[in-house]
Amino acid sequence: MDNRHSPRTRKLTVVAQDPSVRKADGSILTACVSVPYEDMGEGPTGYRVQVVDFDASSNSLMKPWTPRDDGGDPFGPTAAGKTVTDAVILGDPKFHQQNVYAIVMRTLARFELALGRRVSWSFGGHQLKVAPHAFTDANAFYSKEDEGLFFGYFATPDAKGKAKTIFSCLSHDVVAHETSHALLDGLRERYTDPSSPDQAAFHEGFSDIVALLSVFSIKEVIEQLVHRDQGNKKRVAGDWLTAKGIAEGPLFALAKEMGQEMAQVRGEALRHSTELQPRKGILREAEFMEPHRRGEVLVAAVLGALTTIWADRISGLAKDADGTLDVARVVDEGRVIADRLLTMCIRALDYCPPVHLTFADYLSALLTADREVNPDDERFHLRDHIRSSFGSFGIAPASKYGGAEAGVWGEPVKEDHGDIIYDRTHFEPMQRDRDEVFRFIWENRKALRLRVGAFTRVQSVRPCVRIGEDGFTLRETVAEYVQILRLDPDELAELGYTDPGEKVLPRDRELFMYGGGVLIFDEYGRLKFHVHNRLNNTTRQSERLKYLGSIGYYENLRPKRKSPAKLSPFGLLHLTRALNGTRARAGCECHPGLEHHTHDLDDDGTE
């Protein structure tokens, strides 16, 4: 075959939203999504995803999905125009296998498009294992230890009281949500460390954002939502599509439907997020100190921007004499905005500090990530809407940079700590070599204000190529480093940290303090941004100690035995969420064993 004409993508049929969501004729709503084309094996198995349909509850292995010789969609429309039936969707394990493969690959491709590079899994292997029928339980989770995603199934009564089986692998948002956990864990492995209320909430909130925007960017989904409220007409009443109308109409319907059958698996977080009323002090309320509830605030802030941008775009469309709008244009505007927001939310990860993340940090990262690729924001005013929506929940940008645009990260500030030295390192290897980046850090440890006596490690080096709407190409290299300091509680005051007291910290155990930053270099090797949460930031470090002490983390440092179901930390996290259980402790949903980070290396850095 002539490689110049090899296909780049393939279309695969998936459940567009959830099996409970039906079209006008009563059939399950499906969609054909594009995924990267590859030479697939049975499973399906590809170079990044391997579907292994083993059921641990029955100790059985399902027959695997097999690719068509022509590379087509085994469950796509036939020549006669017939589409996959509900009986096949619900009862054929091979469709379930295709569904999870396609959604995982679509989510991965979306991350790679936004970030401008390949994204690795956190466990080091090339292939993420996916088990669509892993066990009989109302749960679904990502496990780094097992290098995979695991989806449960369970029985529940239908409207007539008869038992029916619910498969979590058929819920588009559940699959996208779990895939986002896996991808975020590969990009920022320390976001599961015990830190702050915001960081504890971020994994869930971010994964919900990706799941909801991924589904909302599917044309068939928006058409279904708009048609349902407007009687399946080709024209839609313009006065209905205000920011409030969208939030209370299609957006609320989508969030409600996502939790309809999956409430036992993922709770009703998306529905709760659409119901949250903005108020400045919400993050200080006791209810929103719990990680799952706090994550809903992050979701609500992003959804607030989605509704106002969509409403603004619709208001500029031409209306008929009767004040109606073309449904196709309304749907397309919503899909494009959801896709743009999704890109922005994913790309922001590169501009986030690697440790002790706050929502304020993420807001500055959102603004910076979009500004770097799209300096002219006149079309959507995306950044203005993001600032406004986050601000309505009392979230202000972490950056106080006084440049031309408020809230974005500023250039590295010297602050009397010396100029950045470039002539002792070589940029070409710095685009891929952690040792070369470490040398840059070492030579500039004073200017970068690294902590004396802390173990320093470069965790990743990632070259990126990003394309803006105007065809502008942005080339950057993103390098992530961490610093770790081991000390006794009695040394806290001596090093400038606030000791929360003996009733909070165990005096007979060592503590680990974390700092770190992201170095973003331009295409000429010059440092553009240094996004960091330093060990030297005694205020934030002291707040971390106080918070972890207040939730009893230091009383629970020893790893607990796994539950009989052998759930991973993410599995336990989701189970707690679904059950709306007691307040989760930070130590229960993080990686408590940090003994492998106890190497102390002295250097001559200064504060």
Side-chain angles (χ1 to χ4, degrees):
M1 179 184 292
D2 187 344
N3 289 331
R4 290 175 298 176
H5 301 289
S6 297
R8 302 297 297 274
T9 61
R10 78 167 83 227
K11 294 279 191 179
L12 291 175
T13 300
V14 299
V15 175
Q17 204 172 324
D18 189 280
S20 65
V21 179
R22 305 285 172 137
K23 294 185 287 188
D25 62 4
S27 61
I28 296 171
L29 181 65
T30 60
C32 285
V33 298
S34 293
V35 299
Y37 195 95
E38 59 178 333
D39 183 15
M40 289 195 295
E42 291 185 342
T45 297
Y47 81 111
R48 300 303 305 279
V49 175
Q50 180 182 9
V51 177
V52 182
D53 204 352
F54 178 74
D55 185 342
S57 299
S58 62
N59 196 32
S60 59
L61 183 67
M62 305 286 186
K63 289 185 177 180
W65 177 99
T66 54
R68 277 178 30 174
D69 293 338
D70 62 359
D73 181 357
F75 297 96
T78 64
K82 294 183 178 179
T83 58
V84 60
T85 64
D86 290 359
V88 171
I89 292 174
L90 297 173
D92 189 343
K94 292 183 179 180
F95 179 82
H96 301 185
Q97 295 158 11
Q98 173 169 306
N99 193 70
V100 292
Y101 168 85
I103 297 173
V104 172
M105 283 299 293
R106 179 176 186 259
T107 307
L108 170 63
R110 202 62 194 73
F111 270 69
E112 294 184 337
L113 176 66
L115 296 172
R117 64 173 187 274
R118 297 295 183 200
V119 179
S120 300
W121 307 117
S122 64
F123 45 80
H126 299 294
Q127 293 169 312
L128 180 76
K129 284 72 175 176
V130 183
H133 310 99
F135 45 76
T136 307
D137 193 13
N139 199 8
F141 59 86
Y142 154 65
S143 171
K144 179 177 180 176
E145 294 78 9
D146 297 311
E147 304 182 359
L149 306 180
F150 300 89
F151 298 95
Y153 60 95
F154 57 98
T156 189
D158 62 13
K160 297 181 180 180
K162 296 182 179 180
K164 66 175 181 178
T165 303
I166 302 297
F167 297 96
S168 64
C169 67
L170 291 180
S171 178
H172 197 123
D173 82 296
V174 169
V175 179
H177 178 100
E178 300 310 328
T179 307
S180 298
H181 274 312
L183 291 164
L184 178 56
D185 199 32
L187 290 163
R188 288 287 186 269
E189 64 180 64
R190 292 201 167 272
Y191 282 0
T192 53
D193 285 352
S195 176
S196 66
D198 285 359
Q199 183 161 294
F202 185 75
H203 243 287
E204 285 297 302
F206 175 79
S207 297
D208 274 347
I209 289 169
V210 174
L212 187 126
L213 293 180
S214 295
V215 173
F216 206 75
S217 63
I218 296 174
K219 178 183 176 183
E220 291 88 344
V221 171
I222 306 182
E223 285 179 338
Q224 172 81 0
L225 294 167
V226 173
H227 282 320
R228 182 180 303 154
D229 280 355
Q230 296 297 301
N232 201 27
K233 299 175 182 177
K234 292 184 178 181
R235 308 291 299 181
V236 60
D239 57 356
W240 167 75
L241 288 168
T242 62
K244 182 178 180 183
I246 293 169
E248 295 178 352
L251 198 61
F252 178 78
L254 176 64
K256 182 180 179 181
E257 288 168 349
M258 281 183 170
Q260 199 165 355
E261 287 193 338
M262 291 292 115
Q264 297 182 61
V265 175
R266 60 164 356 272
E268 297 179 327
L270 292 175
R271 182 177 66 79
H272 291 160
S273 296
T274 59
E275 294 175 332
L276 277 181
Q277 295 300 313
R279 51 188 184 275
K280 298 283 187 180
I282 190 170
L283 292 176
R284 295 192 296 273
E285 297 173 15
E287 176 186 355
F288 292 95
M289 293 300 291
E290 195 279 323
H292 302 112
R293 288 292 279 153
R294 197 175 189 86
E296 291 166 15
V297 177
L298 183 66
V299 179
V302 174
L303 296 187
L306 172 65
T307 58
T308 55
I309 298 169
W310 194 10
D312 275 3
R313 294 290 297 174
I314 291 169
S315 67
L317 297 178
K319 298 180 181 178
D320 272 0
D322 61 357
T324 62
L325 295 164
D326 179 31
V327 167
R329 288 295 307 278
V330 171
V331 168
D332 192 58
E333 288 291 346
R335 181 190 61 79
V336 170
I337 292 163
D339 194 65
R340 274 291 305 273
L341 268 176
L342 181 57
T343 297
M344 187 182 190
C345 291
I346 295 171
R347 187 171 287 158
L349 295 174
D350 272 352
Y351 298 83
C352 289
V355 294
H356 310 324
L357 179 71
T358 66
F359 290 168
D361 293 327
Y362 186 62
L363 174 54
S364 281
L366 282 167
L367 300 172
T368 308
D370 191 69
R371 195 275 309 270
E372 288 301 289
V373 176
N374 300 300
D376 184 357
D377 195 25
E378 289 299 315
R379 181 183 178 190
F380 292 107
H381 296 282
L382 208 64
R383 299 193 289 277
D384 289 337
H385 286 286
I386 284 286
R387 287 189 195 89
S388 177
S389 185
F390 273 70
S392 69
F393 288 95
I395 305 170
S399 173
K400 307 305 178 185
Y401 177 60
E405 187 166 341
V408 301
W409 295 123
E411 297 178 358
V413 181
K414 296 179 183 178
E415 298 180 359
D416 299 324
H417 294 282
D419 293 328
I420 298 291
I421 300 169
Y422 293 98
D423 56 3
R424 295 174 187 166
T425 51
H426 304 282
F427 180 61
E428 195 278 327
M430 266 198 355
Q431 296 176 82
R432 61 180 183 277
D433 192 331
R434 292 190 299 169
D435 289 326
E436 192 72 18
V437 173
F438 183 80
R439 174 156 190 191
F440 175 87
I441 292 173
W442 177 261
E443 295 291 348
N444 291 287
R445 60 193 185 277
K446 294 182 180 180
L448 296 175
R449 300 169 63 193
L450 300 190
R451 181 81 196 199
V452 175
F455 167 65
T456 305
R457 176 174 177 264
V458 176
Q459 293 201 145
S460 64
V461 182
R462 298 163 174 143
C464 314
V465 179
R466 293 154 182 166
I467 309 296
E469 281 191 329
D470 57 358
F472 169 74
T473 301
L474 177 69
R475 298 179 185 274
E476 294 179 331
T477 298
V478 180
E480 175 190 3
Y481 74 89
V482 294
Q483 283 200 297
I484 304 168
L485 188 65
R486 181 180 63 184
L487 68 162
D488 295 325
D490 295 335
E491 296 177 289
L492 287 172
E494 179 184 339
L495 295 176
Y497 304 116
T498 301
D499 189 339
E502 294 188 7
K503 294 183 179 180
V504 174
L505 298 181
R507 315 313 289 188
D508 59 343
R509 294 182 183 175
E510 291 180 318
L511 302 175
F512 293 91
M513 309 292 282
Y514 301 92
V518 170
L519 304 170
I520 300 176
F521 300 95
D522 65 18
E523 58 187 322
Y524 305 107
R526 297 285 162 171
L527 185 63
K528 292 174 60 177
F529 303 108
H530 179 205
V531 183
H532 52 74
N533 280 323
R534 295 189 179 97
L535 275 171
N536 294 332
N537 188 335
T538 56
T539 300
R540 183 168 288 191
Q541 295 288 350
S542 299
E543 289 174 351
R544 171 181 176 266
L545 291 174
K546 184 178 179 181
Y547 167 71
L548 293 180
S550 71
I551 62 173
Y553 170 74
Y554 294 108
E555 301 170 7
N556 193 33
L557 281 178
R558 296 182 181 276
K560 289 185 173 181
R561 291 182 178 179
K562 289 186 176 181
S563 69
K566 295 185 178 180
L567 298 182
S568 72
F570 283 99
L572 292 171
L573 179 67
H574 287 178
L575 189 58
T576 302
R577 171 181 182 163
L579 296 176
N580 292 316
T582 58
R583 178 176 174 176
R585 292 181 170 225
C588 298
E589 56 189 56
C590 303
H591 300 309
L594 299 172
E595 290 77 9
H596 60 293
H597 292 301
T598 58
H599 311 287
D600 289 339
L601 302 180
D602 293 332
D603 62 45
D604 297 325
T606 59
E607 295 186 21

